Amino acid sequence: MSSYDPQDTASEQEETVALKGHFYGVYLLCSQSLDPRYRGKCYVGFTVNPKRRIRQHNLGCDFGGARKTSRKGPWLMIMIVHGFPNNTVALQFEWAWQQPSLSTRLKMFPELKRKLAKETFFDYNFRILGYMLGVSPWNRLPLSVRWLEIDYERPFIMPFPNHMEIVSGKVSISALQRKRSYDAVAPPLEAWASECHLCMQQIVQPERSRLGCTNQKCRLTCHMMCLANYLLGDDPGHYIPVGGECPLCGNRLSWAALLQRQRLLSGVLEERQDHEEVWIDDIDVHCNIEEAPEFCD
């Protein structure tokens, strides 16, 4: 959906289940402290498990919470942006949201350098987010803005990308990733061609570089880069496709769905994700993560 209407989200209040190992979110907290020094202050962070992360923040740094939020709560997780292809991209988004005056993509907006005189901390962070969603490369990603606390819901002032969505409701992480997703069902081996349908070259490392159509009956087999370039054919000047039509069957493709399906079929180990969760969730709010050049314009 490209605009916000409270009625649009009324039916989406039920809890959404996301797949463990395939959820990367950047969230916004707001302090509900009775201490006027902290009440209303905000915190931006990254997580792969929202429920666990808010519990850690409210328990304090001795239980995995951040130093910046310890003894300044209780905290509410107001909203979370998710749909990032990996944790690196999500962490870059987190850093820019925390540091709009330092981000190379947001420096062009001097109005984001500081909070306005009568603006709340939440309104300031929400305003930054509105600008971020319209800036490349984030405006190319199939992101979801999820409201977790309905009392804070409001429309975006800046234009909202049509391929993104605004939803409401809690989200939980399921460990049963291969039993819950139909996309994880691998096509039979005979469905794959040995050569790319676009460049007609041999696919040397199919488990890493091969993509196929999400239509189970389609035999499309392509190099990842070949299909990306094909989908960008009508949208020059960008590096990340949003989607397009399958060159073989004409089925509508989402680039994010293609990448997620490829990861599921490649068998990403849950143990690796568990290891990543331990240190990634502990990154403090003002960590100076660099914006990787391969994701820059």
Side-chain angles (χ1 to χ4, degrees):
M1 62 189 73
S2 58
S3 61
Y4 174 73
D5 184 340
Q7 294 182 352
D8 291 340
T9 60
S11 61
E12 302 182 46
Q13 294 295 327
E14 294 184 2
E15 184 172 86
T16 297
V17 178
L19 302 178
K20 183 178 182 180
H22 302 277
F23 181 90
Y24 308 99
V26 180
Y27 58 84
L28 179 64
L29 303 184
C30 188
S31 175
Q32 309 300 303
S33 174
L34 297 178
D35 190 326
R37 294 177 299 171
Y38 307 131
R39 186 170 182 83
K41 294 294 181 67
C42 290
Y43 178 99
V44 173
F46 164 85
T47 187
V48 294
N49 191 322
K51 280 188 173 182
R52 183 184 65 191
R53 194 59 183 144
I54 186 60
R55 184 168 61 250
Q56 290 173 326
H57 279 299
N58 283 323
L59 288 174
C61 58
D62 292 339
F63 296 89
R67 294 186 300 274
K68 296 289 185 180
T69 60
S70 189
R71 295 185 293 276
K72 298 176 182 178
W75 295 87
L76 281 180
M77 188 176 287
I78 306 300
M79 63 192 311
I80 187 165
V81 181
H82 57 94
F84 299 98
N86 53 53
N87 57 42
T88 301
V89 177
L91 287 167
Q92 292 166 0
F93 188 90
E94 175 206 29
W95 185 86
W97 197 355
Q98 296 166 350
Q99 310 283 353
S101 61
L102 300 180
S103 170
T104 56
R105 302 179 186 94
L106 299 178
K107 283 182 178 179
M108 66 183 74
F109 304 114
E111 61 269 33
L112 298 182
K113 287 186 177 181
R114 58 182 60 86
K115 185 174 73 68
L116 301 178
K118 296 184 178 181
E119 194 174 35
T120 67
F121 288 100
F122 170 77
D123 288 336
Y124 175 50
N125 281 277
F126 183 68
R127 181 160 60 91
I128 296 172
L129 176 61
Y131 277 83
M132 292 179 67
L133 295 176
V135 173
S136 179
W138 300 309
N139 63 356
R140 307 290 299 169
L141 299 176
L143 300 177
S144 296
V145 177
R146 179 173 295 274
W147 290 100
L148 303 173
E149 296 293 334
I150 60 175
D151 290 342
Y152 284 80
E153 291 186 33
R154 61 197 64 190
F156 281 95
I157 297 176
M158 302 295 291
F160 194 82
N162 290 327
H163 63 279
M164 296 186 188
E165 62 176 0
I166 302 173
V167 295
S168 295
K170 306 295 184 181
V171 59
S172 62
I173 307 301
S174 169
L176 304 176
Q177 69 174 47
R178 284 167 182 76
K179 294 182 180 180
R180 295 191 63 90
S181 176
Y182 63 89
D183 282 337
V185 178
L189 293 177
E190 61 269 19
W192 294 111
S194 60
E195 297 179 347
C196 173
H197 278 109
L198 294 174
C199 72
M200 304 307 293
Q201 299 297 313
Q202 189 81 15
I203 298 180
V204 180
Q205 294 181 309
E207 68 282 355
R208 299 187 61 181
S209 62
R210 179 178 62 189
L211 288 180
C213 182
T214 51
N215 177 4
Q216 295 292 332
K217 296 181 180 180
C218 181
R219 292 172 58 88
L220 178 72
T221 305
C222 292
H223 288 110
M224 185 181 297
M225 290 301 299
C226 290
L227 186 55
N229 289 331
Y230 174 84
L231 296 176
L232 285 169
D234 296 328
D235 199 10
H238 296 284
Y239 300 100
I240 305 173
V242 172
E245 291 187 356
C246 171
L248 204 59
C249 73
N251 179 49
R252 186 68 187 175
L253 300 176
S254 162
W255 185 248
L258 290 173
L259 293 184
Q260 184 180 52
R261 180 171 181 264
Q262 194 272 340
R263 292 183 69 240
L264 287 167
L265 295 179
S266 67
V268 178
L269 295 178
E270 291 183 7
E271 289 79 9
R272 179 180 176 184
Q273 175 63 22
D274 290 338
H275 174 72
E276 290 176 345
E277 290 176 0
V278 172
W279 70 268
I280 290 176
D281 263 355
D282 285 339
I283 293 177
D284 205 353
V285 64
H286 292 302
C287 64
N288 190 18
I289 182 171
E290 295 182 357
E291 298 176 270
E294 63 268 22
F295 198 62
C296 294
D297 290 337

